[in-house]
């Protein structure tokens, strides 16, 4: 069964304190791994797509990396405005999910000034 | 471009009442999706559509119906609402779904918060 697990569930950082969020996955052939940001009361906002192990993508203070079993979202010198819930989703090439996204439960990030 | 819009933003229903949630997108996307988001459960796919006039079941379809009469609109219906359908509902759309690389990402609307008493 295709599955996505995100850790930790919640993360509190001081402004400027770099850290990483983890997304572990098991799928029957990975088509793509997606990272989203969700602010309270709003819809998920697309950040990155990663397609193959070794791939990296960056946007401002965020950097996403991918291995064959997991993805990391590295946050460098975070600011309070980076506070949000970060969602990871995978898309399988085969299997019962029919190419639909399978989401993890998210990591709630709080950055204190 | 407005992107993905949803109507209404909030709604309170009594058990047994019916309602329709409307989703519209102006990005000319082929694929549209309805999700529900519950605390501790993550986003779960209810129904999706791969094109005008076609719909398919997702992970949690029971108690919901959908229609895609126009490419830009995707409607989610609750025929007889139940308290278990209290949730936040998100619509999403994407250009493609099964490409090897590129354009599979989904773009989400702002959500509808539904409470069923």
């Amino acid at each position: 069964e295709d599955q996505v697990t995100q850790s930790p569930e919640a993360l509190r950082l001081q402004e400027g304190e770099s850290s990483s969020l983890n997304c572990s996955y098991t799928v029957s052939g990975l088509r793509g791994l997606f990272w989203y940001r969700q602010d309270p009361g709003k819809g998920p906002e697309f950040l990155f797509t990663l397609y193959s192990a070794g791939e990296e993508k960056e946007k401002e203070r965020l950097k996403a990396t991918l291995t064959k079993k997991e993805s990391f979202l590295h946050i460098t010198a975070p600011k309070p405005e980076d506070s949000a819930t970060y969602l990871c989703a995978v898309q399988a090439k085969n299997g019962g999910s029919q190419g639909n996204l399978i989401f993890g439960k998210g990591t709630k990030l709080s950055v204190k000034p | 471009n407005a992107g993905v819009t949803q109507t209404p933003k909030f709604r309170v229903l009594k058990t047994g009442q019916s309602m329709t949630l409307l989703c519209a997108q102006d990005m000319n996307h082929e694929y549209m999706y309805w999700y529900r988001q519950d605390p501790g459960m993550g986003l779960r796919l209810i129904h999706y559509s791969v094109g005008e006039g076609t719909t398919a079941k997702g992970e949690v379809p029971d108690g919901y119906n959908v229609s895609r009469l126009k490419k830009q609109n995707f409607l989610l219906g609750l025929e007889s609402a139940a308290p278990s359908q209290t949730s936040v509902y998100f619509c999403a759309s994407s250009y493609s779904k099964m490409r090897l690389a590129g354009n599979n990402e989904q773009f989400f609307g702002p959500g509808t918060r539904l409470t069923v008493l």
Side-chain angles (χ1 to χ4, degrees), chain A:
Chain A
E1 181 183 352
D2 301 331
Q3 198 168 355
V4 178
T5 303
Q6 290 188 248
S7 61
E9 290 185 11
L11 180 63
R12 291 187 176 187
L13 299 174
Q14 288 296 126
E15 185 172 1
E17 179 187 3
S18 301
S19 188
S20 297
L21 283 57
N22 178 264
C23 172
S24 298
Y25 64 89
T26 53
V27 289
S28 51
L30 181 70
R31 183 175 298 279
L33 185 142
F34 304 81
W35 281 100
Y36 287 85
R37 169 191 170 126
Q38 186 174 23
D39 293 303
K42 297 190 176 181
E45 175 188 349
F46 172 72
L47 292 173
F48 306 108
T49 310
L50 302 168
Y51 292 101
S52 57
E55 188 175 0
E56 299 181 352
K57 287 192 177 175
E58 289 187 64
K59 180 179 180 180
E60 296 181 355
R61 294 175 293 281
L62 301 177
K63 179 180 178 180
T65 62
L66 181 65
T67 72
K68 289 186 178 180
K69 293 183 178 181
E70 57 191 348
S71 176
F72 291 95
L73 185 65
H74 306 278
I75 304 176
T76 302
K79 298 182 178 181
E81 53 261 42
D82 294 322
S83 297
T85 296
Y86 290 85
L87 303 176
C88 171
V90 297
Q91 184 182 37
K93 287 181 182 176
N94 308 302
S97 62
Q98 300 176 12
N100 294 314
L101 296 188
I102 302 162
F103 281 86
K105 296 179 181 180
T107 293
K108 184 175 182 179
L109 173 66
S110 299
V111 182
K112 301 299 182 184

Side-chain angles (χ1 to χ4, degrees), chain B residues 46-61:
Chain B
I46 304 171
H47 286 281
Y48 64 99
S49 168
V50 300
E52 184 177 323
T54 68
T55 63
K57 294 180 180 180
E59 180 187 355
V60 289

Side-chain angles (χ1 to χ4, degrees), chain B residues 80-95:
Chain B
S80 179
S84 61
Q85 293 178 305
T86 294
S87 186
V88 182
Y89 292 87
F90 289 102
C91 176
S93 69
S94 65
Y95 180 73

Side-chain angles (χ1 to χ4, degrees), chain B residues 35-105:
Chain B
Y35 293 88
R36 60 178 290 173
Q37 188 175 42
D38 302 291
M41 297 293 292
L43 282 160
R44 293 182 291 170
L45 184 64
I46 304 171
H47 286 281
Y48 64 99
S49 168
V50 300
E52 184 177 323
T54 68
T55 63
K57 294 180 180 180
E59 180 187 355
V60 289
D62 294 343
Y64 306 95
N65 57 76
V66 288
S67 64
R68 182 111 181 258
L69 299 179
K70 294 183 179 180
K71 184 177 182 178
Q72 63 268 33
N73 295 337
F74 195 28
L75 278 63
L76 177 71
L78 286 73
E79 291 186 348
S80 179
S84 61
Q85 293 178 305
T86 294
S87 186
V88 182
Y89 292 87
F90 289 102
C91 176
S93 69
S94 65
Y95 180 73
S96 65
K97 184 182 173 189
M98 300 299 283
R99 287 193 175 186
L100 290 178
N103 294 326
N104 293 331
E105 55 268 17

